[in-house]
Amino acid sequence: NAGVTQTPKFRILKIGQSMTLQCTQDMNHNYMYWYRQDPGMGLKLIYYSVGAGITDKGEVPNGYNVSRSTTEDFPLRLELAAPSQTSVYFCASSPGTGGVGYGYTFGSGTRLTVV
Amino acid sequence: DAKTTQPTSMDCAEGRAANLPCNHSTISGNEYVYWYRQIHSQGPQYIIHGLKNNETNEMASLIITEDRKSSTLILPHATLRDTAVYYCIVRAYYGGSQGNLIFGKGTKLSVKP
């Protein structure tokens, strides 16, 4: 059981380039999330999805886009990369309606550097 | 913003109990207390959660005060592998945006030989 898989693990982008961070889960979880973590800081929620076809903004959505065409996949798109987007990105999923006892499962992260 | 307050860092001797405090004075009736930890840049890992009763699992114990304004995570016999950042999070029962996990800076626990 792979859990939550993120690719790539590392990436260096030039300013203005675009890329897609991939996230897939094999647990049939309805809820999926994208967080970013800057050095020495906690995680900040970028976007989340409560099911296929439904997405919503989190705390820091500017500069990002998401889509959720299937239950398994929740890609994060960066358009026109900026140095401020240098961070570690974590994808997570949770089952059911996000209720009690359903802890999040996190991926291992994508470390992105924009130069 | 995170609804919890935690010390920035703590030390613990290997083999001793680690007691990590958390203040959540504005917690509401439908919010649970969750604890996660993050070991050196890995993805956060779920530890335990509770509403008002004390809880215990194979990883830790959670003690919540009667007024629910604070809690303590207890690692009964800390090992070097427990060195991590520990996050205390209050989270609503139901889904939607109020059910999302909001992370603060957490407590960096260093377990020393």
Side-chain angles (χ1 to χ4, degrees), chain A residues 59-90:
Chain A
E59 303 171 77
V60 289
N62 292 342
Y64 307 94
N65 280 299
V66 293
S67 60
R68 184 94 182 272
S69 58
T70 67
T71 299
E72 294 78 19
D73 300 308
F74 190 40
L76 178 71
R77 178 78 176 167
L78 278 72
E79 304 282 0
L80 299 175
S84 61
Q85 293 178 303
T86 294
S87 190
V88 181
Y89 292 83
F90 290 101

Short mmCIF file of all heavy atoms in Angstrom, two decimals, chain A residues 59-90:
data_model
loop_
_atom_site.label_atom_id
_atom_site.label_comp_id
_atom_site.label_asym_id
_atom_site.label_seq_id
_atom_site.Cartn_x
_atom_site.Cartn_y
_atom_site.Cartn_z
N GLU A 59 -5.19 28.89 2.86
CA GLU A 59 -4.64 30.14 3.37
C GLU A 59 -3.83 30.92 2.34
O GLU A 59 -3.82 32.15 2.34
CB GLU A 59 -3.71 29.85 4.56
CG GLU A 59 -4.32 29.11 5.72
CD GLU A 59 -3.24 28.72 6.71
OE1 GLU A 59 -2.79 29.59 7.48
OE2 GLU A 59 -2.82 27.54 6.71
N VAL A 60 -3.06 30.21 1.49
CA VAL A 60 -2.09 30.86 0.62
C VAL A 60 -2.23 30.36 -0.82
O VAL A 60 -1.32 29.77 -1.38
CB VAL A 60 -0.65 30.63 1.14
CG1 VAL A 60 -0.41 31.42 2.41
CG2 VAL A 60 -0.38 29.15 1.37
N PRO A 61 -3.35 30.62 -1.50
CA PRO A 61 -3.58 30.04 -2.83
C PRO A 61 -2.95 30.81 -4.00
O PRO A 61 -2.84 30.27 -5.10
CB PRO A 61 -5.10 30.08 -2.96
CG PRO A 61 -5.49 31.30 -2.16
CD PRO A 61 -4.51 31.35 -1.00
N ASN A 62 -2.52 32.06 -3.76
CA ASN A 62 -2.06 32.89 -4.87
C ASN A 62 -0.82 32.32 -5.54
O ASN A 62 0.15 31.96 -4.89
CB ASN A 62 -1.77 34.31 -4.38
CG ASN A 62 -3.04 35.04 -3.96
OD1 ASN A 62 -4.13 34.64 -4.34
ND2 ASN A 62 -2.89 36.08 -3.17
N GLY A 63 -0.87 32.23 -6.85
CA GLY A 63 0.24 31.70 -7.64
C GLY A 63 0.14 30.22 -7.93
O GLY A 63 1.03 29.66 -8.57
N TYR A 64 -0.96 29.61 -7.49
CA TYR A 64 -1.15 28.17 -7.66
C TYR A 64 -2.53 27.88 -8.24
O TYR A 64 -3.45 28.66 -8.07
CB TYR A 64 -1.03 27.44 -6.32
CG TYR A 64 0.23 27.72 -5.55
CD1 TYR A 64 0.25 28.72 -4.58
CD2 TYR A 64 1.39 27.00 -5.77
CE1 TYR A 64 1.41 29.00 -3.87
CE2 TYR A 64 2.55 27.26 -5.06
CZ TYR A 64 2.55 28.26 -4.11
OH TYR A 64 3.70 28.53 -3.39
N ASN A 65 -2.62 26.71 -8.89
CA ASN A 65 -3.91 26.21 -9.33
C ASN A 65 -3.95 24.70 -9.11
O ASN A 65 -2.90 24.04 -9.11
CB ASN A 65 -4.14 26.50 -10.82
CG ASN A 65 -4.60 27.92 -11.04
OD1 ASN A 65 -5.65 28.32 -10.55
ND2 ASN A 65 -3.81 28.69 -11.76
N VAL A 66 -5.16 24.18 -8.92
CA VAL A 66 -5.32 22.75 -8.72
C VAL A 66 -6.48 22.25 -9.56
O VAL A 66 -7.31 23.03 -10.03
CB VAL A 66 -5.58 22.38 -7.24
CG1 VAL A 66 -4.36 22.67 -6.38
CG2 VAL A 66 -6.81 23.10 -6.72
N SER A 67 -6.52 20.94 -9.71
CA SER A 67 -7.66 20.27 -10.34
C SER A 67 -7.83 18.93 -9.66
O SER A 67 -6.89 18.39 -9.08
CB SER A 67 -7.43 20.11 -11.84
OG SER A 67 -6.27 19.33 -12.07
N ARG A 68 -9.03 18.39 -9.73
CA ARG A 68 -9.29 17.08 -9.13
C ARG A 68 -10.26 16.35 -10.05
O ARG A 68 -11.47 16.35 -9.86
CB ARG A 68 -9.89 17.24 -7.74
CG ARG A 68 -10.10 15.91 -7.00
CD ARG A 68 -8.96 15.56 -6.12
NE ARG A 68 -9.12 14.28 -5.46
CZ ARG A 68 -9.74 14.11 -4.29
NH1 ARG A 68 -10.29 15.14 -3.67
NH2 ARG A 68 -9.82 12.92 -3.75
N SER A 69 -9.72 15.71 -11.06
CA SER A 69 -10.55 15.01 -12.04
C SER A 69 -10.85 13.58 -11.60
O SER A 69 -11.83 12.98 -12.05
CB SER A 69 -9.89 15.01 -13.41
OG SER A 69 -8.60 14.42 -13.33
N THR A 70 -10.02 13.03 -10.71
CA THR A 70 -10.25 11.68 -10.19
C THR A 70 -10.09 11.69 -8.68
O THR A 70 -9.52 12.63 -8.11
CB THR A 70 -9.25 10.66 -10.77
OG1 THR A 70 -7.93 10.98 -10.29
CG2 THR A 70 -9.25 10.69 -12.29
N THR A 71 -10.56 10.65 -8.04
CA THR A 71 -10.38 10.55 -6.58
C THR A 71 -8.91 10.42 -6.22
O THR A 71 -8.47 10.92 -5.20
CB THR A 71 -11.15 9.32 -6.05
OG1 THR A 71 -12.53 9.48 -6.32
CG2 THR A 71 -10.96 9.16 -4.55
N GLU A 72 -8.14 9.76 -7.08
CA GLU A 72 -6.75 9.42 -6.75
C GLU A 72 -5.78 10.57 -6.89
O GLU A 72 -4.79 10.65 -6.17
CB GLU A 72 -6.27 8.27 -7.63
CG GLU A 72 -6.98 6.95 -7.42
CD GLU A 72 -8.35 6.91 -8.08
OE1 GLU A 72 -8.61 7.73 -9.00
OE2 GLU A 72 -9.18 6.07 -7.68
N ASP A 73 -6.02 11.47 -7.84
CA ASP A 73 -4.99 12.44 -8.21
C ASP A 73 -5.38 13.88 -7.87
O ASP A 73 -6.53 14.29 -8.06
CB ASP A 73 -4.70 12.34 -9.71
CG ASP A 73 -4.21 10.97 -10.12
OD1 ASP A 73 -3.25 10.50 -9.48
OD2 ASP A 73 -4.79 10.38 -11.04
N PHE A 74 -4.40 14.64 -7.42
CA PHE A 74 -4.64 16.04 -7.05
C PHE A 74 -3.39 16.84 -7.39
O PHE A 74 -2.60 17.19 -6.52
CB PHE A 74 -4.95 16.12 -5.55
CG PHE A 74 -5.47 17.46 -5.09
CD1 PHE A 74 -6.36 18.20 -5.84
CD2 PHE A 74 -5.08 17.97 -3.85
CE1 PHE A 74 -6.85 19.42 -5.40
CE2 PHE A 74 -5.56 19.19 -3.40
CZ PHE A 74 -6.44 19.92 -4.17
N PRO A 75 -3.19 17.17 -8.65
CA PRO A 75 -1.98 17.90 -9.06
C PRO A 75 -2.05 19.38 -8.68
O PRO A 75 -3.11 19.99 -8.68
CB PRO A 75 -1.96 17.72 -10.58
CG PRO A 75 -3.39 17.49 -10.95
CD PRO A 75 -4.02 16.77 -9.80
N LEU A 76 -0.88 19.93 -8.39
CA LEU A 76 -0.73 21.36 -8.06
C LEU A 76 0.08 22.02 -9.15
O LEU A 76 1.20 21.60 -9.45
CB LEU A 76 -0.02 21.52 -6.72
CG LEU A 76 0.25 22.96 -6.27
CD1 LEU A 76 -1.04 23.65 -5.86
CD2 LEU A 76 1.24 22.97 -5.10
N ARG A 77 -0.47 23.07 -9.74
CA ARG A 77 0.16 23.75 -10.84
C ARG A 77 0.74 25.08 -10.38
O ARG A 77 0.04 25.87 -9.73
CB ARG A 77 -0.87 23.98 -11.95
CG ARG A 77 -0.35 24.73 -13.16
CD ARG A 77 0.45 23.83 -14.07
NE ARG A 77 0.88 24.53 -15.29
CZ ARG A 77 1.80 24.06 -16.12
NH1 ARG A 77 2.38 22.89 -15.89
NH2 ARG A 77 2.13 24.75 -17.20
N LEU A 78 2.01 25.31 -10.70
CA LEU A 78 2.65 26.60 -10.47
C LEU A 78 2.82 27.29 -11.81
O LEU A 78 3.46 26.76 -12.71
CB LEU A 78 4.03 26.44 -9.84
CG LEU A 78 4.12 26.25 -8.34
CD1 LEU A 78 3.65 24.85 -7.96
CD2 LEU A 78 5.55 26.47 -7.87
N GLU A 79 2.22 28.45 -11.95
CA GLU A 79 2.39 29.25 -13.15
C GLU A 79 3.33 30.41 -12.84
O GLU A 79 3.21 31.02 -11.79
CB GLU A 79 1.04 29.81 -13.61
CG GLU A 79 -0.04 28.76 -13.84
CD GLU A 79 0.13 28.02 -15.16
OE1 GLU A 79 1.09 28.32 -15.90
OE2 GLU A 79 -0.71 27.16 -15.45
N LEU A 80 4.25 30.70 -13.73
CA LEU A 80 5.14 31.86 -13.56
C LEU A 80 5.83 31.82 -12.20
O LEU A 80 5.60 32.66 -11.34
CB LEU A 80 4.36 33.16 -13.71
CG LEU A 80 3.68 33.37 -15.07
CD1 LEU A 80 2.85 34.64 -15.06
CD2 LEU A 80 4.74 33.43 -16.18
N ALA A 81 6.68 30.82 -12.02
CA ALA A 81 7.33 30.60 -10.73
C ALA A 81 8.10 31.84 -10.26
O ALA A 81 8.74 32.53 -11.06
CB ALA A 81 8.27 29.41 -10.81
N ALA A 82 8.02 32.08 -8.95
CA ALA A 82 8.70 33.22 -8.33
C ALA A 82 9.56 32.70 -7.17
O ALA A 82 9.25 31.65 -6.59
CB ALA A 82 7.69 34.22 -7.80
N PRO A 83 10.62 33.43 -6.80
CA PRO A 83 11.47 32.98 -5.68
C PRO A 83 10.69 32.75 -4.39
O PRO A 83 11.07 31.90 -3.59
CB PRO A 83 12.48 34.13 -5.55
CG PRO A 83 12.58 34.71 -6.92
CD PRO A 83 11.19 34.62 -7.48
N SER A 84 9.60 33.50 -4.21
CA SER A 84 8.79 33.33 -2.99
C SER A 84 8.11 31.96 -2.92
O SER A 84 7.60 31.57 -1.85
CB SER A 84 7.72 34.42 -2.92
OG SER A 84 6.86 34.33 -4.04
N GLN A 85 8.11 31.23 -4.02
CA GLN A 85 7.51 29.90 -4.03
C GLN A 85 8.53 28.80 -3.72
O GLN A 85 8.18 27.62 -3.72
CB GLN A 85 6.83 29.63 -5.38
CG GLN A 85 5.62 30.53 -5.61
CD GLN A 85 4.98 30.31 -6.95
OE1 GLN A 85 5.64 30.43 -7.99
NE2 GLN A 85 3.69 30.00 -6.94
N THR A 86 9.75 29.19 -3.44
CA THR A 86 10.74 28.23 -2.95
C THR A 86 10.27 27.69 -1.61
O THR A 86 10.07 28.46 -0.67
CB THR A 86 12.11 28.91 -2.81
OG1 THR A 86 12.58 29.27 -4.10
CG2 THR A 86 13.10 27.98 -2.13
N SER A 87 10.08 26.40 -1.54
CA SER A 87 9.48 25.81 -0.35
C SER A 87 9.48 24.29 -0.49
O SER A 87 9.87 23.74 -1.51
CB SER A 87 8.04 26.33 -0.19
OG SER A 87 7.51 25.98 1.07
N VAL A 88 9.03 23.63 0.56
CA VAL A 88 8.75 22.19 0.49
C VAL A 88 7.24 22.04 0.43
O VAL A 88 6.51 22.61 1.26
CB VAL A 88 9.32 21.42 1.69
CG1 VAL A 88 9.02 19.93 1.55
CG2 VAL A 88 10.83 21.64 1.80
N TYR A 89 6.78 21.27 -0.52
CA TYR A 89 5.35 21.10 -0.74
C TYR A 89 4.93 19.69 -0.32
O TYR A 89 5.52 18.70 -0.73
CB TYR A 89 5.01 21.33 -2.22
CG TYR A 89 5.20 22.76 -2.62
CD1 TYR A 89 6.45 23.26 -2.98
CD2 TYR A 89 4.12 23.65 -2.63
CE1 TYR A 89 6.63 24.59 -3.32
CE2 TYR A 89 4.28 24.97 -2.98
CZ TYR A 89 5.53 25.43 -3.32
OH TYR A 89 5.70 26.76 -3.66
N PHE A 90 3.89 19.65 0.51
CA PHE A 90 3.36 18.37 0.98
C PHE A 90 1.92 18.21 0.51
O PHE A 90 1.10 19.11 0.65
CB PHE A 90 3.39 18.30 2.51
CG PHE A 90 4.76 18.18 3.09
CD1 PHE A 90 5.39 19.29 3.63
CD2 PHE A 90 5.43 16.97 3.10
CE1 PHE A 90 6.66 19.19 4.18
CE2 PHE A 90 6.70 16.86 3.64
CZ PHE A 90 7.31 17.98 4.18
#
